[in-house]
């Protein structure tokens, strides 16, 4: 059974940092794209950072470049998201997501397609991040 389990998050003041972790289990393939998407009430879930398990060339949404860092430890089946210099606009539910077909559908081939995390096969339950001003 595939599972993505997020941890971390919580409340942080503007300018602070927060780290999210996601542990994957149950995947047959060890090659897939995964990362983080954010959703606030009334809005569409949007990808903020992604990475391919077979490489270390991350993708970031324009709004988070320079402040978010995605990393992974494939031996631990874990992907991380570090949010630095947090802003109130970063608040929301953060979901760990995985896309098993990113390579076969041409979304990742050393470089990324636009909005690569709009399609995903699996998602975690989500974890709340609240940034107060």
């Amino acid at each position: 059974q595939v599972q993505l389990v997020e941890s971390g998050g919580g409340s942080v003041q503007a300018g602070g940092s927060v780290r999210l972790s996601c542990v994957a289990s149950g995947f047959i393939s060890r090659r897939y794209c995964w990362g983080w998407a954010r959703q606030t009430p009334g809005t569409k879930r949007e990808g903020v950072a992604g990475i391919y398990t077979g490489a270390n060339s991350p993708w970031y949404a324009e709004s988070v470049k320079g402040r978010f860092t995605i990393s992974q430890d494939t031996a631990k089946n874990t992907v991380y998201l570090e949010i630095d210099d947090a802003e109130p606009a970063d608040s929301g539910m953060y979901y760990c997501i995985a896309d098993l077909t990113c390579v076969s559908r041409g979304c990742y081939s050393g470089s990324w397609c636009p909005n690569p995390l709009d399609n995903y096969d699996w998602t975690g339950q989500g974890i709340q991040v609240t940034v107060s001003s």
Side-chain angles (χ1 to χ4, degrees):
Q1 181 181 357
V2 172
Q3 279 191 312
L4 296 169
V5 180
E6 303 101 336
S7 61
S11 297
V12 62
Q13 288 193 323
S17 297
V18 61
R19 191 189 201 204
L20 310 180
S21 300
C22 169
V23 178
S25 61
F27 285 98
I28 296 176
S29 171
R30 296 184 66 83
R31 290 291 179 256
Y32 48 87
C33 297
W34 58 341
W36 297 89
R38 177 174 67 200
Q39 189 169 21
T40 55
T43 68
K44 173 188 170 185
R45 189 179 299 189
E46 295 183 322
V48 294
I51 196 166
Y52 178 58
T53 56
N56 277 307
S57 55
W59 170 87
Y60 296 101
E62 285 296 324
S63 61
V64 306
K65 281 183 179 178
R67 299 187 301 110
F68 285 28
T69 302
I70 187 170
S71 60
Q72 61 185 349
D73 185 338
T74 53
K76 296 181 178 179
N77 295 323
T78 303
V79 64
Y80 306 96
L81 184 69
E82 178 87 18
I83 301 173
D84 294 317
D85 193 20
E87 301 174 353
D90 296 329
S91 298
M93 284 291 287
Y94 283 74
Y95 295 88
C96 182
I97 58 176
D99 176 1
L100 306 183
T101 63
C102 60
V103 173
S104 62
R105 63 187 177 86
C107 194
Y108 179 78
S109 57
S111 59
W112 294 90
C113 69
N115 302 314
L117 301 182
D118 282 358
N119 292 282
Y120 53 89
D121 301 294
W122 299 99
T123 180
Q125 293 295 311
I127 195 162
Q128 179 69 35
V129 172
T130 301
V131 183
S132 57
S133 57

